[in-house]
Amino acid sequence: MGPHDPALTAIWLGSMVLAGLAVAAFCAVLTARVLGRGRAARRRRLTLEILSAASATDPAANACHLVDAVREAARAGVLARTIVEAMGLLGGAARERFLANLFTAGAPAHLRRASTRKGADARLLARTALALFAAGPPPQAAMQARGVVRRRAA
Amino acid sequence: MTILHLAVLVVVVVMLAHHAIQFTLLGLAVRAMIRRPPRRVGIAHGPAPVLPPVSVILPAFNEAAGIVASVRAILGSRHPDFEVVVVSDGSTDDTVDRLVAAFGLVPCTVPDHGPLDHQRVRTAWRSPLVSGLLVLETDNGGKASALNAGVSAARGTLVACVDADCLLERDGLARATRPFIEAGGDAVIAVGGSVRVANGRLWQAGRLNVTGRGPGLWPLVQTVEYLRAFAVARLGWSEIGAVTLVSGAFGVFRRDAVLWVGGYDRSTIGEDMELVVRLHRRHREAGRPCRIVALADPIAWTEVPHSLDVLRRQRTRWQRGALETLWRHRVMLVDPRYGRPGRIGLAAGVLCDVVVPVAETVGLVAMPLLWMTGALSPAHWLAFLCLGTVTGVAHSMGALVFDELGMRRITRTRDLALLGAAALIENFGFRQLVAWWRVCATAQWLAGRGAGWGAMPRRGLADPLAG
């Protein structure tokens, strides 16, 4: 067992590689967690924005803001969940208003795209949300407001 | 080559084999998680409509500190049909009084003795307020006796044996009972749940919340151990059909299978492992189908020992229990008809529970001796130490990463970082100490010296401010 023993070199090398892999994997999940905290905060903010903007009685007043929020929420993957969970809480006129406002902001198009993406849970949620829109024809008010939104967004 | 050289060589080979098994289990657990990722119980936050009825049995001996919280946690389970049977095994504290006060229990007819061996049932209580809660007071006869009394009185098709200091997650029962119906028959006879460390958390308003107070050093290190054992190793064994231990803290069994093999054995201190191995053995001898699986997502939270003294007693008991079972069912190691549970599961048990602690202790003594006598260069000694430490750390960190990616039950980032530190720290003293305790327990067992359960003081997980 001399100083240039190949077994010794192999042990040191193996140990270093193993240690490096373990520490790198652990640091990766730790970093993902820290970054994930930022993402979670952004998702919460978007959810609140959509809930408040889409529940407004005057859709035109919040139209542009809602279009942006819907787009951003769809990108962050929280649109379908927000809609499905909010529909469980709202009732009657508030429920119709909520759907109508989101319809005018173009939510169904985002949901249709989400319903074909990866992730079984996300697909199911997007289809559930789409089914809520498909349950009835869009209210007349929403159809009229849609034109307003498009004009303002342009 | 001297005897010391030979000893060191054997130690290195044994430790490498041990780590190879652990990393193989990690790989198998990853495969299991990819194939069957944890699912939501019901997409609309409800339980699956058809699940077999379960009787949850809580054996309790002086568990006044946490018994009410444990029962409340189980009563909050999302399962369509279950009952709770608390068996006070001759408790000398106010375990039963607290249950009587919390649930308004009234005395009822003592159920029939039943087919299993257990101590006399002195009193039975039922709650007029909470349906499906039965409390039995028996003479003190040990955990196996209490479990047998509970299984005898149970009405469910399945029996879930849960330690009285454990808090079951709301979906725990539903998740643990699913394999019984998914298998579509008699094949699955037992399911092992996952046990996690709850120290540093408080049971408040029906939830287990993280608190500002830390769990403490020893519970933190044990958290890493539990993750390795429950989140990784059991899942790995389950993947190849070689589960030989369903923890007594949370396991679900077909009641008819338990009755058929005669229930828990009162003569052993490791009654949980013994029952599982006996189930494998009897079913295979009779040519009956038998599958015992372990899952990572049905979770029970438990309070682990805070002090080294209590921890030593616990580990001594575990070691003796494992040795008793291995010795009693040693025929399964060589007879091919016992299949993987015998030739793989129990053989690995012999390596990990008997050989590894001895090898680790011998290595710790032999290597410095060789170094001092000049037979081993410092470079080689350091290299062996480094390899042992690095593989230990890598295995623990692998378990943490696996849990983070697959289960994500570590609530705070700070806790994850602390567990990473614990995965490192445990290799400098703690692991060696546990190995030494296991060697001592093995020596005591070989010498025929008896060992009991000993006192296991609990702080309790219930919020003291909640009353």
Side-chain angles (χ1 to χ4, degrees), chain A residues 1-3 5 7-8 11-12 14-16 18-19 22-23 25-26 29-30 32-34 36-37 81 85 121 124-125, chain B residues 23 40 43 376 379-380 382-384 386-387 390-391 393-394 397 400-401 404-405 408 410-413 416-417 420:
Chain A
M1 287 185 177
D5 187 351
L8 194 65
I11 290 174
W12 278 113
S15 301
M16 292 306 114
L18 198 57
V23 172
F26 184 71
V29 294
L30 208 59
R33 174 92 58 131
V34 174
R37 266 202 322 209
R81 187 178 295 278
E85 289 184 358
D121 272 4
L124 186 62
L125 270 170
Chain B
F23 282 109
R40 299 178 118 185
I43 193 72
L376 186 72
H380 280 85
L382 273 176
F384 288 137
C386 179
L387 183 66
V390 162
T391 42
V393 172
M397 289 211 168
L400 283 174
V401 171
E404 177 65 9
L405 297 177
R408 210 182 163 95
I410 301 163
T411 319
R412 294 180 300 189
T413 310
L416 184 63

Side-chain angles (χ1 to χ4, degrees), chain B residues 7 33 53 85 95 97 130 159 171 179 203 206 211 223 277 290 313 325 331 354-355 384 402 412 421 467:
Chain B
M33 193 63 88
V85 183
T95 299
D97 294 340
V130 184
V159 285
D171 292 336
W203 180 253
T211 60
T223 306
V277 176
C290 165
R313 285 204 298 270
T325 304
V331 67
V354 184
V355 181
F384 288 137
F402 172 78
R412 294 180 300 189

Side-chain angles (χ1 to χ4, degrees), chain B residues 221-251:
Chain B
V221 174
Q222 289 173 77
T223 306
V224 179
E225 275 193 307
Y226 274 58
L227 281 178
R228 282 200 311 259
F230 287 98
V232 174
R234 302 270 161 85
L235 213 58
W237 288 127
S238 182
E239 189 65 5
I240 54 168
V243 174
T244 54
L245 172 60
V246 167
S247 169
F250 182 25

